[in-house]
Amino acid sequence: MYKNKMVVLEAKENILITGGCGFIGSNFIRKYIGRNINIFNVDDLTYAGNLENLKEIEEKENYHFFKGKIQDKEFIKQILIENNIDSIINFAAESHVDRSIIDSAPFIETNIKGTSVLLDLTREFNIKKYVQVSTDEVYGSLGEIGKFTELTPISPNSPYSASKASADHLVMAYVHTYGINAMITRCSNNYGPFQFPEKLIPLMIMNALNNKELPVYGDGMNVRDWIHVDDHCSGIWAVYQNGKSGESYNIGSDTEKTNIEIVKLILNILGKPESLIKYVKDRPGHDRRYAMDSSKIQELLGWKAVINFDEGIKNTVEWYLNNLDWCNRIIDGSYMEYYNLQYGNN
Ligand code: NAD
Ligand code: TYD
């Protein structure tokens, strides 16, 4: 005999994820697609976005993909209306500092204009929650001591970080002026699977594997605070779930390393000689040191990074070794054009 049981079906949240085909967005979608949510991924598939990154989940009934630009207001508006979107997490961006030094225009378009369009639509359609995925680079550069807290003044130095800082200011202005429910995450340098091989760690892995020179900028003593992408994603999820409107949250894992330490570690894991290292002309305006104080998110939201760097980097190198096909498809003609422009004169 069956008992009468009241079944309360919780409505699934409809989340618009932007930039979900990039490095962090695709890791985020893979990690959270199993939850009771519908994901609507908008991505323009620039050089950094790749449908293959989400191949293993693309058939899931709660995953939907739309190709297009976040700054295309009519296009985004249609998606919001047709899919009854509850919330937005904005990962979409031009994300590489060196490219922003070559040409800042796409950074202004996507990172500033795109964010402003999403914020306008958040306001217009009473979107319940908006999360802006930002970076520690908005704080500028540190000297030898101290860490960035959420109270550190915003002081960006590169066209990339200036565009991200502008977007952050817009988010806070929309909270203050229109009362939208929005928050910002600011994370340190990520590493892990599916990172485009223009960034330090995958670039060095790929060059070492191909016995190509490893271009280290300046004296190699610039410091970055590394975090595994999976920890970054759980931090964004914590903020998405329990963050407070108008607040920003630093996400980091207390793993400061000089660039040269990272490069030597990769060579060591791969059993390649240090003679592959080539010191090249420094990046203009190169920020010297980043370090994050993430006690706020730890204390208020109970989040903590859990992946140990030595293990995380070994697994990452292994992932690239097991996914050379992916890398070789990504390293296409347009990438080589960029590569030659960036490194050709060194
Ligand atoms: P990524 O370059 O790997 O991916 C960006 C994605 O956005 C790509 O899929 C691209 O196709 C898409 N995109 C670009 N312009 C678009 C547009 N106009 N409309 C729609 N889609 C567009 O970047 P990532 O490393 O995954 O970074 C994701 C976010 O995290 C960015 O906002 C970045 O600023 C931030 N962040 C990155 C790091 C890091 O170490 N990579 C650290 C902190 C914060
Ligand atoms: P990158 O991965 O571009 O991240 P970001 O500039 O956003 O921190 O670079 C990380 C560090 O590595 C940065 O100090 C610049 C340095 N770097 C090199 O020395 N050589 C390279 O070829 C690249 C891409 C970066």
Side-chain angles (χ1 to χ4, degrees):
M1 199 51 185
Y2 290 108
K3 278 194 182 161
N4 253 346
K5 196 163 138 195
M6 202 164 79
V7 180
V8 182
L9 280 178
E10 249 185 71
K12 277 189 180 178
E13 256 171 72
N14 296 327
I15 312 179
L16 180 74
I17 302 279
T18 69
C21 296
F23 166 47
I24 303 170
S26 66
N27 274 282
F28 184 88
I29 293 176
R30 265 193 312 280
K31 189 172 170 73
Y32 292 107
I33 192 73
R35 302 289 170 111
N36 190 33
I37 53 177
N38 291 312
I39 288 184
F40 299 84
N41 174 18
V42 168
D43 196 299
D44 198 31
L45 301 180
T46 67
Y47 77 92
N50 188 348
L51 283 176
E52 204 181 324
N53 296 359
L54 288 169
K55 209 154 148 199
E56 64 190 83
I57 62 99
E58 70 187 3
E59 298 296 331
K60 291 204 181 284
E61 49 84 27
N62 60 334
Y63 173 73
H64 312 270
F65 174 70
F66 304 85
K67 183 191 174 330
K69 295 184 197 308
I70 56 167
Q71 61 270 37
D72 182 344
K73 191 168 184 184
E74 284 310 308
F75 164 70
I76 302 288
K77 193 171 176 173
Q78 253 352 85
I79 295 171
L80 297 187
I81 295 170
E82 284 169 11
N83 303 289
N84 206 13
I85 296 295
D86 295 300
S87 48
I88 299 177
I89 307 180
N90 182 26
F91 290 88
E94 287 293 337
S95 66
H96 193 39
V97 173
D98 291 322
R99 289 188 192 247
S100 81
I101 293 169
I102 294 171
D103 179 12
S104 65
F107 290 74
I108 310 300
E109 261 304 299
T110 293
N111 302 1
I112 306 180
K113 180 80 196 315
T115 301
S116 86
V117 165
L118 296 177
L119 291 170
D120 276 336
L121 291 171
T122 294
R123 179 184 165 217
E124 217 173 295
F125 288 89
N126 292 318
I127 297 297
K128 292 180 199 132
K129 205 183 292 180
Y130 178 96
V131 177
Q132 175 73 4
V133 179
S134 187
T135 164
D136 59 353
E137 302 191 26
V138 300
Y139 297 123
S141 185
L142 289 165
E144 278 178 16
I145 53 163
K147 293 185 177 204
F148 298 130
T149 75
E150 290 80 359
L151 299 177
T152 302
I154 302 297
S155 181
N157 291 318
S158 73
Y160 162 69
S161 55
S163 68
K164 293 295 290 183
S166 307
D168 285 11
H169 283 314
L170 281 173
V171 172
M172 290 309 180
Y174 273 61
V175 170
H176 188 78
T177 309
Y178 306 114
I180 67 165
N181 182 32
M183 48 225 84
I184 296 172
T185 62
R186 296 199 179 113
C187 191
S188 59
N189 284 64
N190 285 217
Y191 70 96
F194 294 100
Q195 185 166 34
F196 193 83
E198 65 191 352
K199 303 277 172 28
L200 180 74
I201 289 181
L203 178 93
M204 297 301 164
I205 296 172
M206 292 309 293
N207 280 17
L209 281 173
N210 292 314
N211 298 312
K212 275 172 75 174
E213 283 168 345
L214 273 52
V216 173
Y217 299 157
D219 62 1
M221 294 304 287
N222 298 63
V223 172
R224 297 293 182 262
D225 188 351
W226 294 94
I227 183 171
H228 194 278
V229 63
D230 198 65
D231 279 331
H232 182 191
C233 291
S234 63
I236 294 169
W237 184 253
V239 171
Y240 175 74
Q241 300 249 285
N242 294 312
K244 216 171 132 232
S245 189
E247 297 288 326
S248 57
Y249 298 89
N250 286 355
I251 300 177
S253 80
D254 287 318
T255 309
E256 288 184 54
K257 304 272 178 204
T258 60
N259 294 335
I260 193 66
E261 264 181 280
I262 296 278
V263 171
K264 287 184 176 171
L265 181 61
I266 291 169
L267 287 170
N268 186 271
I269 295 171
L270 288 170
K272 296 282 182 174
E274 290 188 6
S275 55
L276 286 174
I277 294 172
K278 185 179 180 204
Y279 288 91
V280 299
K281 200 168 81 205
D282 208 356
R283 172 189 280 173
H286 196 174
D287 284 339
R288 192 65 173 167
R289 176 172 165 260
Y290 302 147
M292 285 296 248
D293 177 340
S294 35
S295 47
K296 177 175 170 181
I297 187 172
Q298 293 183 29
E299 282 160 26
L300 297 182
L301 305 185
W303 172 88
K304 202 168 167 296
V306 294
I307 299 179
N308 161 279
F309 182 76
D310 290 335
E311 263 173 49
I313 192 82
K314 270 194 206 120
N315 292 339
T316 301
V317 171
E318 204 171 290
W319 185 88
Y320 280 87
L321 280 170
N322 290 331
N323 289 276
L324 288 175
D325 283 358
W326 177 87
C327 295
N328 290 329
R329 275 193 291 278
I330 298 264
I331 299 177
D332 61 5
S334 90
Y335 176 72
M336 287 321 295
E337 219 173 279
Y338 159 74
Y339 191 92
N340 292 333
L341 188 63
Q342 178 65 20
Y343 300 101
N345 295 328
N346 277 299

